[in-house]
Amino acid sequence: MIRTLVVGLGNMGRSHALAYHADPSFEIVGLVSRTRPGNLPDELAAYPHHTDFSTALEALKPDLVCIATYSDTHADYACAAMDAGAHVFVEKPLATNVADAERVVAKAQETGRKLVVGYILRHHPSWQRLITEARALGGPYVFRLNLNQQSSGPTWEVHKALMQTTPPIVDCGVHYVDVMCQITDAAPVEVRGMGLRLSDEIAADMYNYGHFQVLFADGSLGWYEAGWGPMMSDTAFFVKDVVSPKGAVSIRMPDTVRSDDIDAHTQTSKLRVHKAGQGHQDLDMADEPGHDALCAREQAYVARAITENLDLTRHMSDAVRSLAVCLAADESVRSGQPVKL
């Protein structure tokens, strides 16, 4: 079994820990968070809890470290884990700057440890079907993607904590830039971004709404929008369209979905494949996995990467690329100028 230390017990950390608990490939040796959560799922309550990552890493000597903390700790924790001999699963984004992301990848190459970044949509059958259908249409493409969240109460508190280090367009933007890159297979070459601070509850130099356009070498164009907070509209909060000269592929969501529902961030409900001049076909995705089931699939891939010695070179470079695009978007927001890649 793969002896696993889980660091961070927010939404993603708990879901990953539940996946390890249920998968006989893994043995959880410890959980780490600054304070012990009072509402841990029953399945996780008996595992040893630690408040200091370095102490737990040294004492437990895990085979795998799952890092689901805030973004500004990802790079240092990942490198420390690999130096200690552990493989690493790290939530997206890989780091808060490109230099740190490249440092983590270099550490994986130096130590021979596996590094898997949490691109959960790569393990979602409906999103993979969307990518397949879009590629079959052929480019160049227009990507219209957003994920706005009308968050309040505890969810708004989580968003405010995330925005201490990471703006919305970077946090989830890496997922959707990764989808764009998988479809077009062309290099992103320029990014143009805009953003606005819509709340006095966040730092003066942070913004809770933003959007950007990314231009690709094959002429494709991507648009991504993300906003967090109680002021956000829940109209058209989940737009997922890929348009080409031959038609379009779109995710169709029911009107009852809430914008701050974590399951809704990966659900597709149905895909509509439209072919110009031929009408459309709706593909029912009703049996798709929920959020925790997706995390289980993702961690099953981690187990394969370790036990089958999978080559993760492309996976790591893709993670750095999508992060670079989103960080360039943030730079463009702050400078008011396009950024060449």
Side-chain angles (χ1 to χ4, degrees):
M1 289 193 291
I2 301 168
R3 301 176 67 257
T4 303
L5 178 66
V6 181
V7 189
L9 293 173
N11 285 332
M12 296 307 300
R14 294 181 195 204
S15 291
H16 294 313
L18 288 170
Y20 298 131
H21 173 82
D23 190 331
S25 299
F26 300 96
E27 175 192 1
I28 297 176
V29 295
L31 307 174
V32 180
S33 61
R34 286 173 292 183
T35 59
R36 183 178 179 87
N39 56 345
L40 273 180
D42 291 343
E43 297 94 325
L44 305 180
Y47 289 114
H49 179 267
H50 303 259
T51 57
D52 182 76
F53 167 62
S54 297
T55 302
L57 181 64
E58 182 177 357
L60 298 173
K61 297 178 172 53
D63 304 315
L64 170 70
V65 174
C66 169
I67 301 168
T69 51
Y70 289 121
S71 305
D72 57 337
T73 61
H74 287 184
D76 287 344
Y77 281 13
C79 287
M82 288 185 281
D83 277 334
H87 304 287
V88 167
F89 172 85
V90 58
E91 261 303 329
K92 55 76 191 165
L94 176 55
T96 55
N97 60 72
V98 173
D100 273 349
E102 291 174 338
R103 173 166 64 95
V104 178
V105 170
K107 181 64 67 175
Q109 294 168 335
E110 170 196 331
T111 60
R113 299 295 86 189
K114 299 302 181 185
L115 172 66
V116 178
V117 186
Y119 283 77
I120 199 168
L121 298 183
R122 289 191 167 207
H123 306 278
H124 195 303
S126 302
W127 278 89
Q128 292 308 303
R129 180 67 181 273
L130 177 144
I131 290 168
T132 298
E133 295 289 344
R135 286 181 62 87
L137 290 173
Y141 301 96
V142 174
F143 304 106
R144 303 194 311 143
L145 308 172
N146 76 357
L147 183 58
N148 293 313
Q149 298 180 57
Q150 189 183 82
S151 57
S152 59
T155 309
W156 178 226
E157 294 303 315
V158 169
H159 284 157
K160 286 189 290 185
L162 286 169
M163 285 186 286
Q164 291 177 19
T165 59
T166 309
I169 58 172
V170 175
D171 180 76
C172 282
V174 292
H175 279 311
Y176 301 111
V177 170
D178 185 55
V179 169
M180 296 179 197
C181 290
Q182 288 183 71
I183 293 172
T184 179
D185 229 7
V189 295
E190 183 177 313
V191 184
R192 306 166 183 174
M194 298 180 70
L196 196 62
R197 178 176 179 261
L198 297 172
S199 173
D200 291 335
E201 297 182 56
I202 61 176
D205 62 348
M206 181 55 72
Y207 52 97
N208 63 307
Y209 170 82
H211 66 255
F212 63 82
Q213 296 79 42
V214 53
L215 285 67
F216 292 87
D218 68 344
S220 294
L221 169 65
W223 163 80
Y224 179 68
E225 174 193 57
W228 294 341
M231 76 297 294
M232 291 304 301
S233 168
D234 63 358
T235 299
F237 70 90
F238 191 92
V239 176
K240 302 292 187 292
D241 284 338
V242 182
V243 184
S244 87
K246 294 183 179 179
V249 184
S250 307
I251 293 177
R252 312 281 288 189
M253 295 294 287
D255 293 337
T256 55
V257 172
R258 300 194 329 271
S259 62
D260 65 343
D261 181 354
I262 191 169
D263 275 322
H265 301 173
T266 55
Q267 286 175 341
T268 60
S269 183
K270 70 174 65 172
L271 295 182
R272 174 163 291 181
V273 180
H274 165 71
K275 294 185 178 179
Q278 300 179 43
H280 67 261
Q281 176 187 12
D282 286 339
L283 307 176
D284 186 9
M285 299 294 164
D287 294 330
E288 66 186 7
H291 183 265
D292 283 353
L294 275 175
C295 288
R297 292 183 181 213
E298 191 169 33
Q299 297 310 325
Y301 175 76
V302 173
R304 284 189 56 224
I306 294 170
T307 59
E308 299 177 22
N309 192 27
L310 299 183
D311 184 351
L312 300 178
T313 304
R314 176 67 185 268
H315 173 85
M316 292 187 292
S317 64
D318 286 351
V320 174
R321 177 182 60 181
S322 60
L323 176 63
V325 170
C326 292
L327 291 173
D330 179 52
E331 180 184 344
S332 180
V333 169
R334 297 175 187 279
S335 70
Q337 300 295 322
V339 175
K340 299 287 187 182
L341 295 168

